[in-house]
Amino acid sequence: MSGKLFLCATPIGNLEDITLRVLRTLQEVDLIAAEDTRNSIKLLNHFQIKTPMTSYHEYNKIEKGHILVDKMLKGQNIALITDAGTPGISDPGEELTAMCYEAGIEVTSLPGPAACITALTLSGLPTRRFAFEAFLPMDKKERQAVLKELVNETRTIILYEAPHKLVRTLEDLREALGNRSMTLCRELTKKHETAFRTTIEDLIQYYSQEKPLGECVLVIDGKSRRQLEEEERASWEEISIEEHMEQYEEKGISRKEAMKLVAKDRGVTKRDIYQYLIENK
């Protein structure tokens, strides 16, 4: 029988956050695949876990992934851990998971800490709907493409950032999104954990005087639906009602339905649109 892959969430700062189930699993599996063995050995030593460990990271994820899959096909159980948090969230764990499914290997996830969820619940911003983008791309074109997608995002936005890149990212966010409300979470679960409920602009000003420290999670308010509707209404007002009607009719929408949609876009009644079109034949 094939072995099994266990995705084991590990603490993001406070060692007391590890679960009893994860501890038992790390002791019982045949092998632990870790993103950085030098970092993970500290965790294993702390809990006196002697299970053999091997490296699995961004730069060997394909080659090593095949090796790990082969081991599981031969019956070994393997636990995957990341430097901190839940494997598969902003790390190559998703690649190994996909490879296991392709090979018919059973996968299970042992829940636990995740910086994005911890920050979201701490932020004081809406939590029901959110968009997690992890780290913004370093490539300029890719970065601008992601920021463009976020401009009209109505869900709460969650980003990760390293302290030495924080100010640049905040400036890019201000340029793309404007001065949104946000919460900056630092050093989550650790002794010096902080959560700044602020705005993008105020945070840029703050860090013009202070050096950013600690791994950061940025939780940013999404654009309100009211704001979106006002912006859309303003854009419709830049074209004539006739042009507005044409945009819908060119899509095969009936004239009657087009009048209804134009009225909704402009915040008026269908009768207003009908009357206008009659008077301006």
Side-chain angles (χ1 to χ4, degrees):
M1 290 180 63
S2 297
K4 189 173 178 179
L5 178 66
F6 297 82
L7 305 174
C8 296
T10 53
I12 58 177
N14 192 320
L15 292 179
E16 293 180 359
D17 290 335
I18 200 164
T19 70
L20 295 175
R21 185 181 174 202
V22 167
L23 287 176
R24 176 177 56 78
T25 300
L26 293 178
Q27 290 170 336
E28 292 179 351
V29 293
D30 300 293
L31 181 67
I32 297 171
E35 187 175 10
D36 186 337
T37 55
R38 296 167 299 180
N39 179 69
S40 295
I41 194 63
K42 300 172 187 174
L43 175 74
L44 300 188
N45 286 342
H46 180 83
F47 291 107
Q48 300 181 334
I49 295 170
K50 306 298 182 182
T51 306
M53 185 165 48
T54 189
S55 65
Y56 175 78
H57 49 71
E58 182 66 28
Y59 303 104
N60 72 353
K61 62 185 180 183
I62 302 302
E63 179 184 0
K64 193 58 167 288
H66 287 299
I67 294 172
L68 295 175
V69 165
D70 186 60
K71 289 180 180 294
M72 285 181 277
L73 287 173
K74 291 177 180 177
Q76 287 195 26
N77 289 320
I78 296 178
L80 179 66
I81 60 176
T82 183
D83 283 348
T86 301
I89 302 297
S90 191
D91 71 33
E94 62 181 324
E95 301 279 355
L96 183 57
T97 300
M99 292 172 73
C100 285
Y101 278 111
E102 289 175 8
I105 295 168
E106 186 179 354
V107 179
T108 188
S109 181
L110 283 60
C116 55
I117 300 301
T118 303
L120 176 64
T121 56
L122 183 62
S123 70
L125 294 172
T127 60
R128 189 175 69 84
R129 301 170 64 248
F130 62 92
F132 174 58
E133 285 292 339
F135 292 92
L136 289 175
M138 291 302 297
D139 179 82
K140 189 174 181 180
K141 286 186 178 180
E142 292 179 12
R143 191 180 184 90
Q144 289 304 314
V146 172
L147 288 169
K148 187 176 180 180
E149 289 179 357
L150 294 178
V151 169
N152 291 321
E153 179 59 71
T154 58
R155 296 171 294 179
T156 299
I157 301 164
I158 307 173
L159 302 172
Y160 289 162
E161 194 51 277
H164 64 284
K165 298 177 183 176
L166 178 62
V167 173
R168 179 203 164 186
T169 293
L170 288 170
E171 290 172 346
D172 287 345
L173 289 168
R174 177 180 60 183
E175 183 177 345
L177 310 181
N179 188 27
R180 300 274 185 94
S181 296
M182 66 165 292
T183 301
L184 177 71
C185 299
R186 296 174 51 256
E187 297 293 271
L188 288 169
T189 76
K190 300 177 184 177
K191 181 179 180 180
H192 299 293
E193 174 184 278
T194 53
F196 295 115
R197 183 73 185 274
T198 180
T199 65
I200 295 174
E201 182 65 46
D202 286 348
L203 209 51
I204 291 172
Q205 291 182 8
Y206 175 81
Y207 282 118
S208 68
Q209 305 294 327
E210 301 288 335
K211 181 181 178 181
L213 298 171
E215 295 301 313
C216 306
V217 184
L218 289 68
V219 188
I220 305 158
D221 206 6
K223 182 175 283 188
S224 70
R225 293 194 178 278
R226 180 178 177 182
Q227 189 177 358
L228 264 179
E229 290 170 359
E230 289 174 352
E231 290 177 359
E232 288 175 359
R233 192 168 297 130
S235 69
W236 290 127
E237 290 171 358
E238 293 175 3
I239 62 174
S240 68
I241 290 177
E242 290 85 352
E243 290 171 324
H244 200 162
M245 286 286 294
E246 284 177 16
Q247 288 188 9
Y248 284 118
E249 290 179 309
E250 286 173 357
K251 297 177 181 177
I253 295 173
S254 69
R255 190 165 181 79
K256 183 178 180 182
E257 186 63 25
M259 281 192 284
K260 186 186 298 183
L261 293 171
V262 169
K264 183 179 179 182
D265 290 341
R266 292 174 176 261
V268 297
T269 67
K270 180 183 173 183
R271 183 176 180 81
D272 291 333
I273 300 299
Y274 176 77
Q275 194 66 37
Y276 171 86
L277 294 172
I278 290 294
E279 294 172 358
N280 291 273
K281 270 189 175 180

